[in-house]
Amino acid sequence: MKRIVLLDILRGFAIIGTLGTNIWIFAYLGDLNLVFGNALEPWWGSGDRLLQTVMLLLVNGKFLGMLTLLFGAGMELKHQKAFRDGFRWPGVYIWSCALLLLDGLLHYIFVMEYDVLMSYAITGMIVSMIIHRSRRFILIMMGIAGSIHVIGVTGITALLAFESGSTLNGMDTITQLYASGTWWEQVIFRLNNFVFFRAESIAIIPLNIFLFLLGALLMRTGLFSNDESGRLKRKKLMIAGLAAGIPLNLLLLIPGGIMDIWVRYISAPVLTLGYLGIIAYGLEKGLFSRLFKRFGEIGKMALSCYILQNIMASVLFYGWGLGVGGHPSSLFILLSWLGICLLLMLFSHFWLRKYPLGPVEWLWRKFSISPASRRTSQDTSI
């Protein structure tokens, strides 16, 4: 199957964008009080805090939503391929999800406690049982999953409103460990606190299900196709996503961080649709063509770049590495993000000049053929 260039570019933006959120967690050594729901200092309190707020307003949750939606679009491509080739669905896709679960577990243990791959793996197993059903059934499942998610997030937001000014406990222990602890001590800490750190991965499964299924439906409607119909659909999606998403995301500016969770998990995915349309429009108009090619190369090596960017951020900020984490300026964090982005572009560009697949993608291809069937190897890009 011929690769869809737009999907690779969108995937590249999504990978870089998720780092734009996660790098604050690395920089502040895991202290979520300084990253999300910061009641310690209002966003207008200083230029440093203002820059952080603007950056999170642009990236927080938006590109994670894009990555989630693209997983669903990718699943639909695999579903279509299985149908064309006469294979039973979900078949080998369950094996791919099992590999992703293992990959996410290793990434959680050895690299980062807020890994999203395990959640995607579980979601993939669930959605693979839904995606081959009728459109009506899919829409019903989306309605159920979306309702559960909105009710849950709204309830948590209401509780935060009643406890305005409260902060998360236990952050001092985490920051001290990441400031002076060894890499192995951090590994043990993640294992000992597995349930605590994996709670978010379970909580976002309803949202993941909704976005996976939305991505699959958008693929079916031809939204990603390179024709006039696809361009018209993307334009309408861009207008709707920006019109609804921008005002919803401005709720982040409410003092005390009361709406931060609501914005990250409800407002952000709406604006994701607008971002998707903007990026597609830039590609169609030939804007920043070389830059878009670099993002497309990252998208082809998405899994490798996702893992690598978190490793580089760990080395830069944690005590066992260069140890610059703690309370660096927002400008330094922003420049660090841009520096890692540049390194990822160079890495993916020169790697793909010599090899057709990224290193993790190559391993994935080697192991993604189910032990039960050697005939059903499929495209393994996320």
Side-chain angles (χ1 to χ4, degrees):
M1 179 187 299
K2 185 178 180 180
R3 295 188 72 95
I4 301 176
V5 174
L6 175 59
L7 288 183
D8 284 331
I9 292 173
L10 289 170
R11 197 176 291 118
F13 271 96
I15 293 298
I16 293 297
T18 57
L19 178 64
T21 299
N22 292 339
I23 198 164
W24 300 90
I25 301 176
F26 287 110
Y28 291 138
L29 303 178
D31 189 349
L32 299 183
N33 289 321
L34 297 177
V35 183
F36 310 117
N38 190 345
L40 305 179
E41 181 184 4
W43 59 266
W44 64 86
S46 67
D48 196 73
R49 178 72 173 119
L50 177 61
L51 179 58
Q52 178 191 10
T53 302
V54 170
M55 175 119 178
L56 291 176
L57 190 64
L58 292 173
V59 302
N60 186 19
K62 288 76 175 176
F63 292 98
L64 181 62
M66 184 178 293
L67 188 63
T68 310
L69 188 146
L70 292 172
F71 258 91
M75 182 191 293
E76 174 60 19
L77 287 176
K78 294 176 175 65
H79 173 246
Q80 292 177 8
K81 185 177 188 301
F83 179 79
R84 288 195 307 270
D85 294 346
F87 296 125
R88 179 187 298 179
W89 180 266
V92 72
Y93 188 78
I94 296 297
W95 174 249
S96 296
C97 289
L99 283 178
L100 186 63
L101 185 65
L102 176 60
D103 190 5
L105 176 62
L106 295 175
H107 187 247
Y108 165 83
I109 294 172
F110 296 114
V111 182
M112 185 189 187
E113 61 271 25
Y114 296 107
D115 165 79
V116 75
L117 298 180
M118 294 178 69
S119 184
Y120 283 173
I122 295 172
T123 303
M125 293 179 185
I126 296 171
V127 173
S128 68
M129 305 296 179
I130 302 172
I131 198 174
H132 64 291
R133 303 289 295 274
S134 68
R135 179 183 176 86
R136 181 174 180 274
F137 183 79
I138 290 174
L139 291 174
I140 290 173
M141 292 298 101
M142 288 177 65
I144 293 173
S147 298
I148 292 173
H149 175 69
V150 171
I151 291 171
V153 172
T154 303
I156 294 173
T157 301
L159 290 175
L160 291 176
F162 284 114
E163 298 180 5
S164 179
S166 63
T167 57
L168 293 172
N169 297 321
M171 292 295 105
D172 290 342
T173 300
I174 296 174
T175 56
Q176 183 177 358
L177 173 65
Y178 284 177
S180 58
T182 65
W183 171 76
W184 185 248
E185 287 174 334
Q186 294 175 15
V187 169
I188 298 301
F189 178 75
R190 294 188 194 104
L191 289 172
N192 290 337
N193 294 274
F194 185 86
V195 174
F196 172 77
F197 284 124
R198 294 290 76 192
E200 183 196 24
S201 294
I202 300 300
I204 64 174
I205 285 179
L207 173 62
N208 288 349
I209 292 174
F210 180 89
L211 291 176
F212 268 50
L213 291 172
L214 177 59
L217 289 182
L218 292 178
M219 178 60 71
R220 289 184 186 180
T221 63
L223 183 125
F224 299 102
S225 61
N226 187 28
D227 55 27
E228 186 59 33
S229 176
R231 287 188 285 271
L232 181 60
K233 289 183 175 69
R234 290 192 292 270
K235 183 178 180 180
K236 292 180 179 178
L237 190 70
M238 176 181 68
I239 295 172
L242 293 177
I246 290 176
L248 285 174
N249 278 270
L250 290 177
L251 294 174
L252 185 73
L253 302 180
I254 293 178
I258 295 172
M259 296 298 295
D260 283 18
I261 290 180
W262 205 90
V263 169
R264 175 174 168 81
Y265 295 110
I266 294 181
S267 302
V270 177
L271 190 54
T272 289
L273 302 177
Y275 279 16
L276 188 156
I278 290 175
I279 295 168
Y281 179 82
L283 176 63
E284 293 160 15
K285 297 300 181 180
L287 304 176
F288 311 108
S289 57
R290 290 187 178 180
L291 183 62
F292 272 49
K293 287 180 180 178
R294 301 292 86 78
F295 277 107
E297 289 166 346
I298 291 175
K300 291 178 182 178
M301 295 174 48
L303 201 53
S304 296
C305 289
Y306 172 71
I307 295 172
L308 179 60
Q309 69 185 16
N310 292 331
I311 292 174
M312 288 193 289
S314 300
V315 172
L316 177 61
F317 292 108
Y318 290 166
W320 54 264
L322 298 179
V324 300
H327 294 84
S329 70
S330 294
L331 180 59
F332 179 82
I333 297 172
L334 176 60
L335 292 175
S336 299
W337 173 62
L338 292 174
I340 293 175
C341 292
L342 178 60
L343 290 175
L344 289 177
M345 289 180 181
L346 292 173
F347 169 67
S348 57
H349 176 68
F350 287 106
W351 183 278
L352 289 174
R353 289 179 64 178
K354 188 172 183 179
Y355 305 104
L357 297 172
V360 179
E361 285 74 15
W362 179 82
L363 284 173
W364 190 281
R365 179 68 62 87
K366 296 290 288 186
F367 290 104
S368 65
I369 303 177
S370 169
S373 174
R374 305 294 295 182
R375 299 183 305 152
T376 57
S377 177
Q378 302 180 38
D379 177 33
T380 58
S381 60
I382 64 174

